[in-house]
């Protein structure tokens, strides 16, 4: 890569640049932000800011023994995501880091396995399973409380929705799985600070023991749900395994495919864990950050409310009305731009590929810093760090790949439409029934724990519009 003009910071032995990255991030996030503003790239990606100033829009750094090339050039990113999706994917280090969390589910699948898993799982995200959740939202906000930690509530609500989508069961049945997966997520987030090499996961360290124990408990709970579903079919109580995600996966497992891709129980459990994380976590964060932004921008809150009244007249928006909520759509996009749940998109080359003017050798990981691209003054203008949903009113940013919260191309987020539908309905209910402002107790401190989160949650005051 140096021969092609791509340089980067000097690696330090087998740790590469991990220690410098860790030290820079620890320093930048050690204090909360003094005011609420959205210039957060230097806080969350300080190594990117430092190295891009020295080496430009493309540079090489080392995560332990894995070389990574950071790229922010839009045309290269567009080509990578659309042209090379089957010959790039998740690296060995990434798969090891999430081995006990999501295993080899869709997020970590590669090659033809990813293709098959994607097409098997897609139907589970096509139905409308959200209406029954709305009453739950109303009951909570009408309970008499004035201050809510909205992130915690959104997390419970989206967990309930994804539990029903996956298992057709209530949140109560899946909350143990959700609890353990949250603990696993925090442990996996530490993986980037640990050196990972072949065999290291077998060392009897406290970290490895905790990971293994949590994974075994999650797998045990999932096996109970799976076995119960299979028993119902075997004794004739049900004619199929169901049409939720678990049912679709179990029905697929029973099909014989010769030597082709074949599902097994472990892969089904990994898929369930993947969708519980991807379907619940990212949507909850999208809702939480959007509420924070609207709470600090009452004029936009009122614009959304006015359009909701015009389109829905106080009722729950139907599916065909959702497309008419253009102001809400712009607000959600701006929230995803400023606070994308996934701050980076990684892809490893599984064979030598030509990418623009570069030859990418097999084994090189390409890291796309989504957060930095979304906050690029060059791409978005002088007001890049301001909340301005109007920027999505005219220009088709998605087509130019400036805006990639759900990735892009064939390997984009499978649940994108589901997440947007879910977010619009929940936000519509909240905004049409309440005005809200940030509580004095809110502390602005975005952090990355695999995803971009508010460190202390988002506390808001809710005021009923129609007492």
């Amino acid at each position: 890569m140096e021969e092609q003009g791509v340089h980067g910071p000097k690696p330090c032995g087998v740790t590469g640049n991990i220690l410098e990255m860790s030290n820079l991030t620890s320093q930048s996030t050690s204090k909360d932000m003094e005011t609420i503003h959205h210039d957060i790239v230097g806080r969350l990606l300080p190594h990117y800011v430092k190295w891009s100033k020295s080496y430009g829009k493309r540079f090489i750094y080392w995560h332990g023994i894995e070389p990574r090339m950071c790229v922010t050039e839009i045309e290269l990113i567009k080509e990578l995501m659309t042209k090379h999706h089957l010959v790039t994917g998740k690296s060995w280090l990434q798969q090891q880091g999430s081995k006990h969390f999501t295993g080899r589910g869709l997020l970590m699948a590669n090659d033809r396995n990813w293709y098959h898993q994607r097409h098997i799982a897609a139907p589970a995200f096509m139905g409308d399973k959200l209406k029954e959740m709305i009453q739950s939202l109303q009951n909570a906000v009408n309970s008499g409380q004035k201050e809510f930690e909205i992130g915690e509530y959104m997390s419970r609500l989206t967990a309930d929705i994804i539990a029903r989508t996956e298992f057709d069961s209530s949140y109560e049945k899946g909350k143990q799985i959700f609890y353990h997966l949250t603990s696993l997520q925090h442990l996996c987030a530490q993986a980037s600070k640990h050196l990972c090499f072949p065999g290291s996961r077998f060392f009897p360290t406290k970290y490895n023991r905790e990971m293994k124990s949590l994974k075994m408990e999650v797998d045990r709970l999932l096996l109970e749900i799976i076995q119960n579903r299979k028993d119902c079919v075997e004794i004739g109580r049900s004619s199929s395994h169901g049409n939720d995600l678990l049912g679709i996966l179990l029905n697929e497992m029973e099909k014989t495919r010769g030597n082709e891709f074949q599902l097994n129980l472990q892969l089904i459990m990994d898929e369930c864990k993947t969708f519980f994380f991807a379907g619940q976590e990212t949507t909850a964060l999208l809702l939480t950050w959007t509420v924070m932004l609207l709470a600090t921008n009452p004029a936009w809150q009122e614009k959304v409310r006015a359009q909701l009244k015009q389109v829905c007249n106080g009722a729950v928006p139907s599916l065909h009305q959702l497309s008419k909520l253009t102001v809400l759509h712009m607000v959600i996009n701006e929230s995803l731009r400023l606070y994308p749940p996934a701050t980076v998109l990684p892809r490893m080359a599984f064979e030598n590929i030509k990418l623009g003017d570069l030859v990418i050798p097999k084994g090189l990981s390409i890291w796309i810093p989504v957060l930095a691209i979304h906050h690029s003054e060059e791409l978005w203008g002088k007001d890049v760090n301001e909340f301005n949903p109007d920027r999505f009113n005219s220009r088709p940013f998605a087509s130019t790949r400036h805006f990639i919260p759900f990735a892009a191309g064939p390997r984009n987020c499978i649940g994108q439409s589901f997440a947007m539908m879910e977010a619009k309905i929940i936000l519509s209910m909240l905004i049409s029934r309440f005005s809200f402002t940030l509580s004095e107790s809110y502390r602005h401190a975005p952090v990355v724990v695999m995803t971009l989160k508010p460190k202390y949650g988002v506390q808001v005051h809710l005021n009923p519009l129609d007492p």
Side-chain angles (χ1 to χ4, degrees), residues 118 121-133 157-168 243-245 275-284 286-287 319 322 329 332 336 406 412-427:
R118 166 98 180 198
F125 287 89
M126 299 305 174
D128 174 19
K129 294 176 180 268
L130 299 174
K131 289 181 180 178
E132 59 194 281
M133 292 297 98
L157 180 62
T158 52
D160 192 60
I161 291 168
I162 202 67
R164 290 168 188 261
T165 304
E166 283 204 48
F167 307 123
D168 200 21
N243 60 359
D244 54 8
L245 178 66
F275 281 105
F276 211 97
F277 165 68
Q280 183 273 333
E281 169 92 355
T282 53
T283 309
L286 162 58
L287 289 162
L319 293 183
L322 290 180
H329 188 77
I332 290 173
L336 286 167
F406 296 105
N412 69 343
C413 173
I414 188 174
Q416 178 176 348
S417 297
F418 184 89
M420 290 295 282
M421 176 178 68
E422 183 181 352
K424 285 179 181 177
I425 292 176
I426 293 172
L427 288 169

Side-chain angles (χ1 to χ4, degrees), residues 242-458:
N243 60 359
D244 54 8
L245 178 66
L246 178 59
I248 290 168
L249 293 171
L250 286 171
N251 291 330
E252 187 69 22
M253 187 178 74
E254 296 199 342
K255 295 179 182 177
T256 53
R257 293 180 172 273
N259 293 324
E260 291 184 30
F261 172 82
Q262 185 75 41
L263 278 175
N264 55 46
L265 271 182
Q266 185 59 57
L267 194 51
I268 286 177
M269 289 192 291
D270 289 347
E271 214 66 275
C272 288
K273 288 181 278 188
T274 295
F275 281 105
F276 211 97
F277 165 68
Q280 183 273 333
E281 169 92 355
T282 53
T283 309
L285 288 172
L286 162 58
L287 289 162
T288 303
W289 285 120
T290 304
V291 168
M292 187 278 288
L293 289 164
L294 286 173
T296 49
N297 292 272
W300 276 100
Q301 193 180 137
E302 196 50 52
K303 287 180 184 179
V304 174
R305 193 172 289 119
Q307 190 175 64
L308 280 168
K309 189 173 183 180
Q310 178 188 350
V311 174
C312 311
N313 196 27
V316 178
S318 62
L319 293 183
H320 80 272
Q321 286 175 326
L322 290 180
S323 61
K324 298 177 182 178
L325 301 177
T326 53
V327 179
L328 181 57
H329 188 77
M330 287 157 50
V331 165
I332 290 173
N333 278 348
E334 182 69 340
S335 175
L336 286 167
R337 184 186 71 82
L338 290 170
Y339 296 91
T343 56
V344 293
L345 287 173
R347 296 286 188 272
M348 174 179 268
F350 298 140
E351 58 185 55
N352 296 341
I353 59 174
K354 186 81 167 64
L355 190 65
D357 60 330
L358 295 172
V359 175
I360 306 297
K362 176 183 178 180
L364 178 62
S365 278
I366 298 171
W367 283 63
I368 302 161
V370 176
L371 185 70
I373 290 169
H374 282 189
H375 286 256
S376 166
E377 186 176 315
E378 179 186 343
L379 296 173
W380 297 91
K382 294 285 186 183
D383 67 343
V384 64
N385 292 314
E386 295 175 20
F387 177 72
N388 177 21
D390 268 330
R391 72 178 81 247
F392 287 95
N393 197 17
S394 54
R395 292 178 58 190
F397 283 105
S399 63
T400 54
R401 300 292 187 264
H402 296 181
F403 182 59
I404 46 176
F406 296 105
R411 194 163 176 152
N412 69 343
C413 173
I414 188 174
Q416 178 176 348
S417 297
F418 184 89
M420 290 295 282
M421 176 178 68
E422 183 181 352
K424 285 179 181 177
I425 292 176
I426 293 172
L427 288 169
S428 296
M429 292 295 301
L430 189 70
I431 295 165
S432 61
R433 284 159 177 76
F434 297 87
S435 65
F436 43 92
T437 54
L438 270 184
S439 167
E440 301 76 16
S441 60
Y442 174 70
R443 293 155 68 188
H444 195 51
V447 291
V448 175
V449 185
M450 295 184 78
T451 48
L452 177 49
K453 303 169 182 277
K455 185 175 181 179
Y456 308 107
V458 174

